[in-house]
Structure formats: C-alpha cells, structure tokens
Amino acid sequence: MTQIVFYFFAAMTVLSAVVVVFSRNLIHSAFALLFTFFGVAALYVFLGADFLAGTQMVIYVGGILVLLIFGVMVTHKLYDMRLKSETYQFWPGLALVTIVFLTLVGVMLRTTWHSRGARALDPTTAAIGELFMKEYILPFELASIFLVIALIGAAMIVRRRSE
Amino acid sequence: MIGLVHYLVISAALFSLGIMAVLTRKNAVNVLMGVELILNSANINLVAFSRFSSVDLNGQVYAIFVIVIAAAEAAVGLAIVLSMYRLMKSVDLDKADSLRG
Amino acid sequence: MNPQILQDLQAFHPEMTITLTLLAVIVVDLAAPSIRKSATFFITGFGLLLALAFTVPLYRAAQGTLFYGMVALDPMAIFFKGFLILTSFLVLLAAPGSKELSKDHIGEFYVLLLGVTLGMVLLASAADLLMLFVSLETVSLGSYVMVGYLSNQRESNEASLKYLLFGAVSTGCMLYGITLLFGLTGTTKMAQIRDLIAQGAASGNNSLTLLVAVVLVLAGFGFKTAAVPFHFWCPDVYTGAPTPVTAFLSVAPKAAGFATLIRFFFTGLSRTSVVGVQWSAFAAVNWTLLVLMISVVTMTLGNIAALRQENMKRMLAYSSIAHAGYILMGPVVLSPLGLQAVLVYLICYLFMNLGAFLVVIEVYNRTGSFDLRDYRGLWRRSPFLTISMTVFMLSLMGIPPLAGFFGKLYVFAAAVNQNLAWYAVVGAVNSVVAVYYYARVIKAMILDASAQGSEGGAIRLSWTSQVLVWIMLLPTAGLMLFWDYIQQLTGGSMRLFFG
C-alpha cells in the first residue's frame, strides 16, 4: 500500500515537472510547479523528514511559488492573456539533457552508496533545532546576514529611482 | 520495498528537467522555475542520503539551508526581472542584448 | 552558552567586526541625507581597517578548525582573510569618487560590500561543504545585487540578470555534485571525505560517481573564478556593472573562489604525503587533469577574445579570464611552490588590476566613455594617468621588473619544477599574445594623435584620486623592493590544515 502511494507522489512530482518545462503557457507552468513542490514535500514525509516537509510547503509553495506567479502576472500586459512562452534550440537541448539524465541514472544505480543501518523515524524538529544551535551555528548566523543582504538588495533594485 | 535508488532517480529526473528549462526557455521567469527545480532535486538527494547514508540529520539541516537560499535567490531574481520589465516592457531573454560587444 | 563556541569566538574577531560594521551602517543609513553619505563611508572604512588589524595577530595562532569543523584556521585562511579585507577596503576608497554610483543611496552599497566581504572571508576558510555553499551563495547574491546597482540603466540590469541566472544554475549544479559526495561518504566535512575516500569509498564503480561529482562541483568553482567554460557571464557582467563593482569582482570574489578551490581539492581530494612536501591526487579521480584542461582553455580563450575588444571594460574582463587561467596553474602542479605561486600572483594581480580599473573610472568621470578610442591622446590631457596606466598595462603583460612578471615567474617555475615544462610554454606563448591588446592601450594613449579623441582640457585629479592611484602604482612598480617580505609571507601562508 505504501508503495502505491509512493509511486503516485513520485509520478506527480516528475510529471508536473515535465509540464513546468514543456508547457507553452506560463500560468500552466507556474501551477504545475505547485504540484511539483507538493510532491517533493510528500517525498520528504516518506523519508521521515517531517519538519522539512512542513518547511517546504510553507516556504516553497507559500512563498516562492506565490512570488513566481506574481512575477508572471506582473510582467505581462494585463490584456494579453495568452501568456505564451517560447523556446529556442529545443531539440539540441533535449538531446543534451537526455544524455545527462541517462548518465546520472546510470551512475546512481551502479554506485554503492555509503550506508548505515535503518534508523527509527523519530520526529526531527527538536533534533534539528539542537543541531542549529550547536554544530551548525556558524552557517546559521551567516544565513541571517545573507537574508539581510537579500532583503536590502531586492528592495534596492525594485525601488523607483527619482531620476 | 522503496529504497534509496528510487529517490535518486526522481532527483536525477528533476535535475535534468531543470537544466532543460534553463537551456531552452526564453522567458526569464521560466528560467527561474528551472533553477528551483534544480535546487529541489539536490534537496531530495540530501534528504534521501541523510536517511540512508549518514548517522545524523546532517542532510536535512543542509536541505533547510538550501531552501532558505533558494527563497532569497528567487526573491532577488524576481526583483531584477521586475526591474527589467519596467525598463524594457518585456522579460524575453532574447531582448537582453544591449551588452553584446 | 556552549564553552567551545565561546572559545572559538576568540579567533573570530575580524568576522565579528565586519558584521557589527554592517549592522552599524544599516542603522546610520537611516540618518539625514546630509550626514549619512560621509558617516557610512567612514564607518565602513574604519570597520574594515579594524577587521584587518584583528587579522594580523591571528597569523601566529594555532592551527585548527572552529565552530565544530565548519571553518579552518590556518595560515592560508588568514592570508586570504587579510587579502580580501584589504581589497574591499581599497574598493571602498574608490567608490565615492566614481560618477556611476548614486550618492543618495551609497550607504546600501557599503552594506552590500561588507556582506560580500564577510561571505568571502568565510568562503576562503570553509572546511565543510555546507559552509562552502552558504558562504558562496552569500558572496554571489551580494554580487548580483551590486552589479544591478544602477537599476534604472538597462546595461546594469541586464548584467545582473545574466549574472544571477548563470550563477544560480552553476551553484545549483555544484550543489548537486556536493550531494553526490555526501552520498558517497555520509559526511560534509572535507577532511572526513578525504579519509573515507582514502579508505576506499570511491573504488570500483564509485570512481565514476566521484568523477561526475567533481565535474559538477567544478561548475561552481569555474563560475566563481570565471574559468572556461563557465565564463560566459563575465564580459557582459563586467561591462554592465558600475566600474568600482567590476574592479571588485575582478579581484576579490575570484580570489575567494581560488581559495576555496584549493582548500576543496587539497584537503578534500588529495592524499596527504608523509613528508608533507608533495601532494598527490587520489587515483580515483584525476582532478589535476581536469583543472589542467580548464586552465589551458581558459588562458587561451581569454587572450584570443581580448584581442578584438574595443571597450576597455570588456577587454579587461577577458584579460581577467586569461589571468585566471594562469593562476590555475598553481593548484595543478600539486606542489608547495605551486600554492605559493597562487598567493604571489594574487598579490600582484590585486594591485595591477585595481589600478587599471581606477584609471578607467577616472577617464569615465571625465569623458563618460569606456571606449578605447576615447583614450587616444590621453598623454596630453593627463600625463599622470597615462603613465600609471602604462605601468599597469606593462605589469599585466608581465614585463619585468613590474609586479606582474613575478606572478607569472612563480607559476611558470612551479610548472617547470614538476616536469610540466610544456604547460609553462603554453602560458608563456599566451603571455606573448596578450602583449598585443595591452600594448594597444598604451599606443592609443601616447602615440595616437588627438584627432577626435581628446578634445577637452587637461584632466586634473582630486587629491584623493591621486593618492589612490599612487597606492596602486607603488606596489605594482616597486614590488621587487619588498621581495623578501613577500616571499616570507607567501611561503609561510601556504600551509593548510588537514585534520
């Protein structure tokens, strides 16, 4: 039973990603991205990453996707509802990407990955919190400076100049 | 039995699709979507390896950092796209050619 | 609080200073427009100098890692710390003098500069792949925004968009490569990865995986150092960005990229030898061959493309791509002399490159143009600028006894020492080709008649600009005098912490 649910979510993730990349309509792409993110969150749940799944939904769907849709809407004239998006060098790109995909899959399947016995699926939030305050405190603090830079930068770029 | 390899194949697919979007799409917002696909595929890898290959939650913590960074990058990217739209009334990357020497 | 973290903070004064300065500038930038321009400038300058002052005593500190193995504290990290903070300080001095940067909101520019400096300093000492990624992204994101600073100008905007899209894809690929390394070894610490690979985590089928991972990670490093084939953003971004930003990008993030490349490959993927004199790469992945190929293609393509450029900034962009190719010769040879060569080259490169860009800024301030044609007859308008630019161009060519010659001497010597003489020959041939486009600038300035190029009167520089040009000129021309000191400094700095 779990397997069927897993394959369903896996298919949803990959198929919506296909729609994102190949669809001619930008809004279709944006909404397909929603399903991709949702599918990825479901995969996190399968892997026992409960906190991460919640974070994925909140930030990716609730933040980034809304921002992307906003971007799509604002950068087209309102009466031009076709929202078309064209491509170039489609076939060479597709050939290259297929090669990349096959190489990666081949590599993945033939490698013996570092392994460790299965671990019980405990809730992860407390453990992640502790890690942030101990082992990962330096990247954590750097990430806060990073966000300050991003905030100031984005506001600076979008602000209307008086000239 | 769902194993590590299943997740890796899914992430390889997302990675390839993301690269495809970046290489072939002309609309800047579409290219940003491709970048998000690439980052998500790396995240799936990280969480899957964290479950099967590492002794603690390293991979998950890494994935949280990647989510944070991806969000900020998307925000700045859209700010630049918005600024471009304001200047050129279009976000078609073909029209971004004023720098060609 | 955790006692180990408190203890690690003792060695972290430079970074803390930069952070506090950044926050102080944000607050002060809220003040009235009349005082905030100079207030933010002085606070930033003071903060950077203080950080530099804190870096110096760290040089003698014990070797080790800080913050649970995130950041390494070794002579090479301290060297780069000082180098990067110094570069930021020099760019800061040049910033108010440029007409391109808006005076009104320049406080934000300083904030970005400080943020990027902090990211670079941590990038150069990152010993963990997570730290590497977060600091690389900090540097990159800050750079994207700095390039797009002139958001009402089309070139600047396009440049920052291209930079962001290219950079996001490159770092995304690098991240994917890092995840493969994580899967092979179960850890993100470079030292542990090296130990596990030495024990056989990458044997048999896994060596292909390791190769794929390394190629992907090289995408990120190649992007940061503008090496071929990840250099496509470089000419457009350098041309479209405000010139102080271009000057900054051509030296500092590139140097940080080299620092992390060295640290990743040497502490992560090389066998430490018992004697400690020569390293050797793992049999599993011949990364030296990869970097060698990249280096050769980079220097060749950079030089050839620069031959046709008429725009000063674009030409200097291709020139910096070519120089990255020369600098990459250092890590390839896997010897201590190679590492020392990188450090020497970077010191020389800092002054001659920043100097060249300074002259470009000054000429733009007066003529509003970056075109080579407008440099004609500059000799008549400003002998000082012409002589300085000539010195910088000759140094970039590698003419003795100027600084550029010593950089090239070291990298070529390092190659010859490791029986890679053909590699040095390729570099030398490339240097000869490069003479053409540097000489073209000198010729335009001095020899071309002032037919249409130099109407307008004499160019008089403000004393601050003059001092700044002298600061760049003296080391470029007089590096030979301090040769012992430079040798000692770089010789002592090439030690990495392998634990």
Side-chain angles (χ1 to χ4, degrees):
Chain A
M1 180 59 200
T2 334
Q3 290 207 27
I4 299 179
V5 180
F6 173 81
Y7 282 119
F8 167 71
F9 279 116
M12 177 169 92
T13 310
V14 177
L15 289 175
S16 17
V18 170
V19 173
V20 171
V21 176
F22 292 109
S23 160
R24 300 221 161 262
N25 184 317
L26 260 183
I27 288 290
H28 288 174
S29 289
F31 278 96
L33 198 60
L34 164 72
F35 286 106
T36 311
F37 290 153
F38 186 66
V40 171
L43 290 176
Y44 289 162
V45 171
F46 271 103
L47 287 165
D50 49 351
F51 178 70
L52 203 57
T55 311
Q56 165 91 0
M57 286 306 291
V58 168
I59 296 187
Y60 261 111
V61 176
I64 297 182
L65 189 69
V66 169
L67 207 53
L68 280 172
I69 294 182
F70 181 68
V72 167
M73 287 302 198
V74 169
T75 55
H76 285 78
K77 310 183 206 14
L78 273 181
Y79 52 81
D80 175 9
M81 286 310 285
R82 283 171 300 131
L83 292 170
K84 275 207 169 302
S85 174
E86 290 147 29
T87 68
Y88 48 9
Q89 292 175 330
F90 181 76
W91 296 109
L94 187 62
L96 175 67
V97 162
T98 317
I99 296 176
V100 167
F101 176 63
L102 291 173
T103 314
L104 282 176
V105 169
V107 160
M108 307 291 197
L109 290 175
R110 288 166 33 141
T111 317
T112 39
W113 300 102
H114 187 87
S115 84
R116 191 202 57 74
R119 182 183 54 219
L121 291 176
D122 295 325
T124 56
T125 313
I128 290 182
E130 271 198 45
L131 280 176
F132 269 128
M133 282 295 125
K134 281 208 201 154
E135 269 90 5
Y136 292 95
I137 189 163
L138 187 60
F140 182 62
E141 300 297 336
L142 181 63
S144 41
I145 300 280
F146 168 78
L147 289 173
V148 167
I149 300 289
L151 257 174
I152 292 184
M156 197 181 82
I157 292 184
V158 179
R159 172 182 53 212
R160 279 193 192 282
R161 300 281 161 148
S162 43
E163 54 237 291
Chain B
M1 199 48 234
I2 303 296
L4 175 62
V5 172
H6 296 80
Y7 296 100
L8 296 183
V9 170
I10 296 175
S11 85
L14 281 182
F15 181 75
S16 319
L17 287 167
I19 301 263
M20 179 76 185
V22 165
L23 286 179
T24 60
R25 293 303 238 177
K26 282 207 291 193
N27 187 303
V29 183
N30 234 332
V31 174
L32 277 172
M33 292 182 196
V35 172
E36 295 304 325
L37 282 179
I38 294 178
L39 290 169
N40 264 299
S41 79
N43 260 358
I44 296 179
N45 263 357
L46 282 169
V47 180
F49 285 132
S50 170
R51 169 111 180 87
F52 292 100
S53 294
S54 112
V55 296
D56 51 21
L57 298 173
N58 274 343
Q60 293 189 19
V61 171
Y62 207 139
I64 294 181
F65 278 108
V66 173
I67 292 180
V68 166
I69 288 174
E73 217 165 40
V76 172
L78 281 164
I80 297 178
V81 166
L82 207 65
S83 189
M84 176 180 174
Y85 183 71
R86 210 185 274 152
L87 285 173
M88 298 190 329
K89 291 292 173 273
S90 153
V91 291
D92 192 329
L93 287 174
D94 272 350
K95 302 226 175 56
D97 59 1
S98 71
L99 289 167
R100 276 276 140 236
Chain C
M1 199 148 89
N2 192 318
Q4 185 179 351
I5 294 180
L6 278 177
Q7 192 187 5
D8 285 342
L9 280 177
Q10 303 297 325
F12 215 54
H13 292 308
E15 288 87 350
M16 291 201 296
T17 314
I18 299 177
T19 312
L20 288 173
T21 315
L22 192 154
L23 297 172
V25 173
I26 294 180
V27 169
V28 169
D29 203 32
L30 298 168
S34 52
I35 54 168
R36 70 175 173 218
K37 278 174 266 176
S38 36
T40 49
F41 176 77
F42 284 113
I43 292 179
T44 314
F46 179 67
L48 283 173
L49 280 179
L50 196 60
L52 200 55
F54 279 131
T55 309
V56 174
L58 282 175
Y59 198 69
R60 302 266 165 261
Q63 288 209 353
T65 60
L66 298 175
F67 295 105
Y68 296 95
M70 281 292 157
V71 160
L73 189 72
D74 54 34
M76 182 165 282
I78 306 295
F79 173 85
F80 273 105
K81 223 184 280 239
F83 179 88
L84 294 165
I85 297 178
L86 178 68
T87 311
S88 301
F89 180 69
L90 291 173
V91 171
L92 171 75
L93 292 181
S98 156
K99 284 218 166 75
E100 288 167 280
L101 295 178
S102 147
K103 295 296 177 286
D104 235 11
H105 300 282
I106 203 168
E108 288 155 8
F109 180 80
Y110 299 145
V111 171
L112 293 169
L113 186 67
L114 287 167
V116 173
T117 310
L118 180 67
M120 288 190 304
V121 161
L122 288 170
L123 179 63
S125 36
D128 177 295
L129 294 176
L130 170 61
M131 195 67 209
L132 191 156
F133 182 70
V134 176
S135 45
L136 185 79
E137 283 293 343
T138 308
V139 174
S140 302
L141 196 73
S143 312
Y144 305 152
V145 177
M146 279 168 82
V147 167
Y149 185 76
L150 304 168
S151 57
N152 57 340
Q153 276 187 30
R154 193 170 147 161
E155 286 88 15
S156 177
N157 186 275
E158 261 181 45
S160 68
L161 183 66
K162 285 186 187 169
Y163 196 15
L164 185 140
L165 290 178
F166 203 91
V169 175
S170 305
T171 45
C173 291
M174 180 171 101
L175 181 66
Y176 199 81
I178 290 179
T179 61
L180 293 180
L181 282 175
F182 179 58
L184 278 177
T185 56
T187 170
T188 53
K189 304 248 178 307
M190 293 187 203
Q192 290 177 20
I193 291 179
R194 179 192 70 240
D195 292 333
L196 284 165
I197 293 184
Q199 288 167 17
S203 49
N205 279 342
N206 290 9
S207 62
L208 181 62
T209 317
L210 187 59
L211 180 68
V212 170
V214 167
V215 168
L216 286 170
V217 171
L218 270 176
F221 291 144
F223 159 70
K224 234 11 204 172
T225 57
V228 175
F230 308 106
H231 70 289
F232 293 102
W233 58 275
C234 193
D236 288 344
V237 169
Y238 279 28
T239 315
T243 318
V245 174
T246 310
F248 180 67
L249 286 181
S250 71
V251 180
K254 215 187 261 268
F258 284 120
T260 189
L261 186 149
I262 289 176
R263 194 173 292 277
F264 176 76
F265 281 117
F266 277 69
T267 61
L269 290 178
S270 298
R271 220 179 284 275
T272 49
S273 106
V274 176
V275 183
V277 171
Q278 173 70 6
W279 290 276
S280 60
F282 282 125
V285 58
N286 196 354
W287 61 264
T288 48
L289 184 64
L290 284 174
V291 179
L292 176 81
M293 292 193 300
I294 290 180
S295 159
V296 169
V297 176
T298 303
M299 51 172 109
T300 313
L301 197 141
N303 276 322
I304 292 183
L307 291 174
R308 300 177 316 152
Q309 300 306 324
E310 294 289 330
N311 179 312
M312 277 302 282
K313 282 164 80 169
R314 218 170 167 83
M315 182 204 93
L316 284 171
Y318 280 113
S319 140
S320 72
I321 292 177
H323 281 282
Y326 301 131
I327 297 180
L328 279 175
M329 286 172 77
V332 168
V333 301
L334 275 179
S335 69
L337 185 62
L339 283 191
Q340 189 179 7
V342 171
L343 302 181
V344 168
Y345 205 113
L346 281 174
I347 295 179
C348 308
Y349 181 69
L350 160 66
F351 290 108
M352 57 190 183
N353 221 31
L354 278 188
F357 275 112
L358 251 181
V359 176
V360 171
I361 291 177
E362 290 301 331
V363 172
Y364 176 78
N365 280 349
R366 296 298 181 294
T367 65
S369 152
F370 298 110
D371 205 301
L372 189 58
R373 288 184 296 251
D374 293 309
Y375 281 71
R376 276 190 262 180
L378 193 65
W379 172 243
R380 261 172 249 224
R381 297 185 67 187
S382 169
F384 175 62
L385 275 182
T386 311
I387 296 184
S388 325
M389 190 59 147
T390 308
V391 170
F392 296 131
M393 289 289 125
L394 288 174
S395 182
L396 283 166
M397 274 189 229
I399 307 287
L402 298 173
F405 170 70
F406 289 99
K408 293 213 168 95
L409 178 70
Y410 261 74
V411 286
F412 294 161
V416 170
N417 256 4
Q418 297 303 313
N419 297 323
L420 286 169
W422 67 269
Y423 194 18
V425 168
V426 170
V429 168
N430 268 302
S431 303
V432 170
V433 169
V435 166
Y436 171 70
Y437 57 85
Y438 293 127
R440 208 170 43 162
V441 177
I442 303 177
K443 168 177 170 294
M445 287 191 301
I446 298 184
L447 295 177
D448 278 355
S450 63
Q452 333 133 272
S454 70
E455 62 272 342
I459 296 179
R460 235 172 297 272
L461 294 175
S462 66
W463 70 269
T464 44
S465 306
Q466 286 195 17
V467 166
L468 207 52
V469 176
W470 276 110
I471 293 179
M472 302 303 167
L473 200 52
L474 287 176
T476 312
L479 201 71
M480 214 178 45
L481 302 172
F482 297 97
W483 196 239
D484 283 338
Y485 175 68
I486 301 270
Q487 255 204 330
Q488 219 178 3
L489 177 68
T490 53
S493 305
M494 61 189 180
R495 285 196 309 270
L496 291 164
F497 178 68
F498 280 96

